[in-house]
Structures are given as structure tokens and as C-alpha cells.
Amino acid sequence: MRILITGGTGFVGGALKPFLVAQGHEVVILSRSGGDFQWDVSYGYVDPAAFAGVDAIVHLAGAGIAEERWSAARKRELVNSRVRSTAVLYQALSTIPHSIKAVISASAIGYYGADTGEAECLETSPVGLDFLADCTKQWEAAVDQIASLGLRVAKVRIGLVMGAEGGIFPVISKPIRWGLGANLGSGKQWQSWIHITDLLRIFNELLINPALSGVYNGVAPEPIRAGEMNKQIASALRKPFFLPSIPGFLLRLVLGEMACLVLGGSRVSSAKIEKDATFSFTFVRFEEALKEILHV
């Protein structure tokens, strides 16, 4: 297949291109700069040549959710970078001749809300009530418009992506490496994670299997509580983990509304992708992923 990736310069996109190439696909990148083809979302422009010979699109475009404090302007940017880029893609697919049959889009488990407690979240679970949920709901609604063009559309609600070169792991492991590891909040919040390799395998499966459409959770089968995750990382790094937990009120003072990203958590199910695609995860338990990431 010839596959076009939007937003292919981030951690997932950067890993996805060589992975898909290794599977025998041809891959090109559509980005603001540095890709094979350019687009300008603010002006609604897409280079028409980007679609030439393309069989499927992997849509990853969107500003990083945790890169800046959530001011009102930043929240608008987070929503617009997802909704507007998807709308531009929809408009281009509506007007530019192409042979594209499928669009596989990133989404996020934030759809269920930043903190869902002990409830198990399925793809059919209701949307949450906070900013993360609203942002993801608008994002998915924009993606759903593409299905009206007669294309097969699938969405991957991605959890915490674990890998040595990027994603959330370098962030959460850094204070532990410095001997300053501490739970953020209670440490009891569920963390639904996925190893980067399994996430790439899910995207590939959704690309090549024409029977798969709709929403799939991109998470490993066994979520882990935040405190246990931190302890396993500290043990693997042979670092102490004895500092008292950082209380929620302090994190809210420092991070504002964005503190929900570290104080909340969700217990998300992977059963649908396992059943529909007969998908077998390489990394089921966090300790398995940790060994691969740290080569221990």
C-alpha cells in the first residue's frame, strides 16, 4: 500500500513510518514543513500531489496535550489543531481526485474523561464531562465526517504510549532516575498504557484489514495503578522510591486544570481489538514493556 501520514513528525508518526516500510508499504508524510508534502491548516491548503497513488491515510495531526499549561488560548489551540486539521483533510478528500479507501485516525482515551475511577471503559462507554473529553469528542466527530465520503474510517483511542525514545515514559522516569521519584496524588489511579510497538501493530492491522472500522481502544490488556508503575520503574532502574506523595492541591496550584492529566486515570479495555482483529499483544503487562524499554 501507499500510505500518507499526517502529523508524521511526532513520536508516534516518527516510529510509524519505518515500521510500515518494514511491512512492505510505501509511506509519505504530509506536514507543515519537513515532510514529503506540505499543508497549511490555517489557510485550508493541502498540496494535491500528496494524494497521488495513495491507498490509505493515517491521521495523527494535533498539538501536544501536555506541552503547555492550559490557558484559554492553549485549550482553543488543542481543539482547533485536531478539529480544523481534520476538517481540512475532509475538504481536500471531497474535492481532490484520489483513490484513497481508508482513513485511520488517532484519538485518545481522554474521550472517557481524565478520571473515570474504577469503572472499566469500553468503546461504547459514554463520553466524559471535562475538557479532555470534549476535545476528543469534537475531534472524533470531525473524523466521522470523512466516513460520509464513502471511505472506511477507524479511530484509535490511544492510551499512555511507552517507548524509550519518546511518549510519556521519559517524562515519568526522569525524576525517578534522579532519585526524586514520588507518587503524584494517591498513586491509586489507573494508567492505561501501550507499548509503542503494539500501537504501531494496531495501526497496521487497521490499515490492511478492510473489515475493521469504527472505534478501537489502543491500550494494553492489563492497566496498572500509577503507584505500582512508579515502583516497577524505580526497581528496574535500581533507584530509591521513598519520598512522600505530592498532594493533589499542590499539583493543581502548579499545573492548573492540566493537573487532571497526572491526578486522574482510566481503566480502559482492549477486548474489542483483540476480538475483532484477533489481535495478540506483544506486551501485555507493564513489567514486560519495561524490560524492553530499559533492556533489562
Side-chain angles (χ1 to χ4, degrees):
M1 299 174 68
R2 181 176 168 91
I3 299 164
L4 176 68
I5 301 178
T6 73
T9 56
F11 173 52
V12 174
L16 185 59
K17 180 176 180 177
F19 180 86
L20 293 177
V21 169
Q23 307 307 307
H25 304 298
E26 180 184 359
V27 179
V28 291
I29 304 295
L30 178 66
S31 67
R32 288 176 297 177
S33 61
D36 301 288
F37 302 97
Q38 278 71 52
W39 66 342
D40 190 320
V41 171
S42 60
Y43 288 97
Y45 170 76
V46 179
D47 183 349
F51 290 164
V54 170
D55 300 295
I57 295 175
V58 177
H59 182 42
L60 303 176
I65 203 78
E67 291 177 2
E68 296 180 23
R69 189 182 173 102
W70 290 354
S71 63
R74 179 60 177 174
K75 287 166 77 171
R76 286 194 298 271
E77 182 181 2
L78 291 172
V79 173
N80 290 338
S81 66
R82 289 159 172 77
V83 175
R84 178 62 180 157
S85 66
T86 306
V88 169
L89 188 61
Y90 167 79
Q91 185 62 30
L93 289 168
S94 302
T95 56
I96 299 172
H98 64 82
S99 57
I100 295 163
K101 299 176 180 64
V103 175
I104 315 301
S105 178
S107 182
I109 60 173
Y111 178 91
Y112 308 112
D115 189 1
T116 57
E118 296 298 308
E120 184 179 44
C121 298
L122 309 175
E123 286 83 353
T124 53
S125 296
V127 65
L129 300 175
D130 56 20
F131 167 69
L132 273 183
D134 182 61
C135 178
T136 313
K137 178 183 177 181
Q138 292 187 57
W139 186 10
E140 290 195 3
V143 174
D144 288 340
Q145 288 295 310
I146 295 173
S148 69
L149 301 175
L151 280 65
R152 178 173 65 91
V153 172
K155 295 165 286 188
V156 186
R157 289 179 184 158
I158 303 172
L160 299 176
V161 182
M162 298 292 170
E165 304 303 321
I168 195 67
F169 184 78
V171 177
I172 62 177
S173 62
K174 183 180 291 185
I176 297 174
R177 290 179 186 275
W178 291 348
L180 300 173
N183 287 329
L184 305 179
S186 69
K188 296 180 180 179
Q189 57 270 47
W190 285 106
Q191 304 292 282
S192 290
W193 60 277
I194 186 168
H195 189 284
I196 182 65
T197 300
D198 280 329
L199 179 59
L200 303 180
R201 291 177 58 231
I202 288 175
F203 273 110
N204 184 59
E205 186 65 31
L206 292 173
L207 282 164
I208 66 175
N209 191 335
L212 301 178
S213 63
V215 182
Y216 290 93
N217 290 329
V219 296
E222 294 191 11
I224 186 173
R225 294 192 189 273
E228 179 60 27
M229 176 183 284
N230 290 331
K231 288 178 183 177
Q232 288 191 21
I233 295 172
S235 177
L237 292 172
R238 295 187 173 91
K239 296 292 183 179
F241 193 81
F242 59 88
L243 295 177
S245 298
I246 300 174
F249 78 87
L250 184 58
L251 289 164
R252 292 186 187 95
L253 282 175
V254 174
L255 299 174
E257 187 180 356
M258 195 170 72
C260 69
L261 295 175
V262 293
L263 293 175
S266 298
R267 182 167 163 255
V268 180
S269 170
S270 64
K272 186 182 177 188
I273 189 69
E274 293 179 88
K275 177 178 180 292
D276 289 5
T278 321
F279 188 86
S280 179
F281 283 82
T282 303
F283 301 95
V284 174
R285 291 178 292 278
F286 183 73
E287 61 188 33
E288 299 168 347
L290 192 57
K291 288 179 182 178
E292 192 283 330
I293 292 169
L294 296 176
H295 305 293
V296 295

